[in-house]
Amino acid sequence: MKLVRYGNPGKEKPGLIDANGQLRDLSAVVKDIGPDQLGDAAVARLRKLKTDKLPLVKGKPRMGCPMAGVGKFIAIGLNYSDHAAETGSPIPKEPIVFMKATSCIQGPNDPVMLPKGSVKTDWEVELGVVIGTRARYVSQKDALNFVAGYCTVNDVSEREFQLERGPQWDKGKGCDTFGPIGPWLVTRDEVPNPQKLGLWLELNGQRVQDGSTKTMIFGVAKLVSYVSQFMTLMPGDVITTGTPPGVGLGMKPPVFLKKGDVMKLGIEGLGEQQQLVVPFKL
Ligand code: ZN
């Protein structure tokens, strides 16, 4: 099932994409796609709906982040060995965990704004994992049972803020608009193996990232289990799992985003995003 939220920012309605790719409204069934709708029982209830009876949504509305109420936006650094190499970093012995401010979350096609004073804003296509069931100290074997589904994430990053302004990364990761998520939350029954998904990103029509989740250093099950040793994962929390090679920082010379650039990115089966890069404004 492909769950979505559509409409103006802050006023999104719940919906789903049916088997024919058409947007159907879920407002009469649920108030929103939030933490309460992400557990196995709630998802099973939605899956039983006769989708052809749900109202069709006309036109092409804006898509929001496909789930409301994200409590934690957790990110994993340097989780693809060839990306670690391009940034000149050693391959991590344990997952590198950092946080993106939830205030950076936005819809998949909303513009990305360069932060005030930014000269090194960069892109990172990533597999997002959405937690469905509260998870504490879960084993790697059980970990995927705590996942509601998967989504496309652009872990937009300001490299100067991230790497030259102090020893941890959060300053360069949580700026406004740095967290496009969606268009769909694809429930985990439709993603039997999250470790074989192609993912890619194009900058102004040129493919710069072209990878597969099969080359992750730490897979999704390991990451959910690992993070749950340090904090309780709650329904609606997102773990974004690292990016394959091809970011601007790794180019020779490095390339960073400027006003008017367009990022287009996607993950096999999880849908595509497109963002126009716009200048800073308050
Ligand atoms: Zn990242």
Side-chain angles (χ1 to χ4, degrees), residues 22-270:
Q22 292 176 299
L23 174 56
R24 304 266 181 177
D25 180 64
L26 275 176
S27 301
V29 183
V30 289
K31 261 211 179 104
D32 205 346
I33 307 292
D36 292 347
Q37 303 305 328
L38 300 178
D40 287 349
V43 170
R45 177 173 160 254
L46 292 178
R47 201 178 293 121
K48 285 203 192 92
L49 293 170
K50 296 211 170 7
T51 52
D52 55 343
K53 300 281 192 290
L54 296 167
L56 268 176
V57 179
K58 292 197 188 80
K60 290 244 176 236
R62 167 190 173 268
M63 304 306 278
C65 173
M67 57 283 165
V70 177
K72 294 195 285 299
F73 192 2
I74 301 156
I76 306 299
L78 303 175
N79 196 30
Y80 289 74
S81 53
D82 27 12
H83 171 60
E86 77 175 341
T87 65
S89 308
I91 290 175
K93 291 191 177 66
E94 289 194 50
I96 295 172
V97 178
F98 63 93
M99 304 295 270
K100 284 175 77 75
T102 53
S103 49
C104 80
I105 292 172
Q106 65 168 6
N109 304 312
D110 295 340
V112 164
M113 183 177 71
L114 299 169
K116 192 174 188 178
S118 165
V119 290
K120 295 186 178 177
T121 297
D122 202 349
W123 55 86
E124 298 191 345
V125 61
E126 303 196 0
L127 173 65
V129 178
V130 182
I131 299 298
T133 303
R134 186 170 183 265
R136 303 172 66 228
Y137 298 99
V138 300
S139 69
Q140 190 170 329
K141 183 167 78 61
D142 292 338
L144 295 187
N145 295 327
F146 293 81
V147 171
Y150 300 93
C151 53
T152 303
V153 174
N154 189 353
D155 176 18
V156 184
S157 305
E158 214 295 342
R159 302 302 186 192
E160 187 200 14
F161 299 180
Q162 176 192 352
L163 301 169
E164 301 168 35
R165 304 282 294 274
Q168 50 75 24
W169 296 357
D170 294 12
K171 282 179 279 188
K173 294 287 192 170
C175 308
D176 289 350
T177 77
F178 273 24
I181 298 179
W184 310 323
L185 166 57
V186 180
T187 50
R188 75 167 191 273
D189 55 297
E190 292 190 12
V191 188
N193 183 358
Q195 303 309 148
K196 58 170 202 182
L197 304 174
L199 67 175
W200 52 271
L201 185 144
E202 290 171 1
L203 177 64
N204 302 324
Q206 189 192 347
R207 190 157 292 212
V208 289
Q209 292 191 278
D210 197 1
S212 168
T213 58
K214 70 171 183 271
T215 65
M216 279 185 189
I217 298 168
F218 306 107
V220 173
K222 168 71 185 183
L223 292 173
V224 171
S225 169
Y226 182 86
V227 175
S228 82
Q229 312 301 310
F230 301 99
M231 62 192 87
T232 299
L233 293 170
M234 300 297 289
D237 286 354
V238 177
I239 303 175
T240 189
T241 57
T243 200
V247 300
L249 177 69
M251 294 181 172
K252 293 189 176 48
V255 173
F256 297 111
L257 294 169
K258 56 188 189 313
K259 181 180 84 168
D261 282 345
V262 175
M263 293 178 277
K264 193 170 177 192
L265 55 145
I267 302 182
E268 196 181 346
L270 303 186

